[in-house]
Amino acid sequence: MVRKSALGGAVVWRLARCGLLAGAALSLVLAGTPAQAAEGEVPEPDGYRTDGYRTPVPKTLKGARVIGADEAEALLKAGEAVFIDVFPRAPKPPNLPAGTVWRDPTHMTMDGAHWMPNVGYGVLSPEFESYFRTRLAQLTNNDTAKPVVFFCLKDCWMSWNAGKRALEWGYSRVIWFSEGTDAWQQAGFDLVKATPVP
């Protein structure tokens, strides 16, 4: 891992990433109510979070271990855990003029992580559930005891949902990097361009 020598570089990465998020479409997907931040500690829901994905999250995920950036770096360096970024893919705007070429916005993630977009929603279509389940099995070599680290951004329920779902599928060593790439950049670590897991 390479630490940035100045916050300026991290800010440039963040601005570049934010500028390519397809604006309003993705903002609507991740929108939440800021009033919740003042309500104090967030309890874990019984089920999955199905809206307000960018709101304060619980400090825990029952059955999982929660880590910060330094522990994430140590795990990534050790190479013993599978890192899965669940940041959603920006949806194609519905009313693009005819002939407009749509290009997926660039997504930046941790070097060595696997980007599995859209698997962190509270309700998954059969296609996305199958995609998530089969790719997770492939990445772990069908070993449900393999440590798996789920992350997204700070205050992003999608990584919480993905971790919860993996626990329900029998993965016994789920790790939640709750502050994700935001904390990674704040710690001075680089991000790289992500390509979705096919």
Side-chain angles (χ1 to χ4, degrees), residues 85-137:
D85 183 345
V86 300
F87 188 82
R89 192 177 224 159
K92 182 178 179 179
N95 297 318
L96 286 177
T100 302
V101 176
W102 168 255
R103 290 187 180 90
D104 280 329
T106 299
H107 173 58
M108 307 296 287
T109 194
M110 298 162 58
D111 194 7
H114 304 277
W115 182 30
M116 295 177 64
N118 303 339
V119 300
Y121 286 104
V123 177
L124 295 180
S125 68
E127 293 79 17
F128 268 105
E129 184 169 342
S130 175
Y131 166 77
F132 187 16
R133 191 186 285 265
T134 58
R135 299 324 185 271
L136 186 56

Side-chain angles (χ1 to χ4, degrees), residues 5-171:
S5 59
L7 282 178
V11 171
V12 169
W13 277 117
R14 186 171 180 83
L15 290 174
R17 184 181 72 193
C18 290
L20 295 169
L21 289 181
L26 192 58
S27 295
L28 288 173
V29 169
L30 295 175
T33 53
Q36 285 185 318
E39 294 176 9
E41 195 166 314
V42 179
E44 286 193 47
D46 292 331
Y48 297 105
R49 181 67 178 243
T50 58
D51 61 8
Y53 292 104
R54 282 307 308 277
T55 58
V57 295
K59 294 185 182 212
T60 58
L61 170 55
K62 187 176 180 181
R65 181 162 56 108
V66 182
I67 62 170
D70 287 338
E71 195 168 355
E73 184 205 14
L75 284 169
L76 199 56
K77 274 186 174 177
E80 296 173 1
V82 175
F83 278 70
I84 298 179
D85 183 345
V86 300
F87 188 82
R89 192 177 224 159
K92 182 178 179 179
N95 297 318
L96 286 177
T100 302
V101 176
W102 168 255
R103 290 187 180 90
D104 280 329
T106 299
H107 173 58
M108 307 296 287
T109 194
M110 298 162 58
D111 194 7
H114 304 277
W115 182 30
M116 295 177 64
N118 303 339
V119 300
Y121 286 104
V123 177
L124 295 180
S125 68
E127 293 79 17
F128 268 105
E129 184 169 342
S130 175
Y131 166 77
F132 187 16
R133 191 186 285 265
T134 58
R135 299 324 185 271
L136 186 56
Q138 289 170 1
L139 291 171
T140 58
N141 293 316
N142 291 306
D143 180 3
T144 56
K146 178 89 174 170
V148 185
V149 180
F150 292 97
F151 68 96
C152 182
L153 305 173
K154 180 179 180 181
D155 290 333
C156 178
W157 281 89
M158 291 198 171
S159 55
W160 189 92
N161 280 342
K164 181 178 179 67
R165 191 164 268 119
L167 286 163
E168 290 185 354
W169 288 343
Y171 288 84

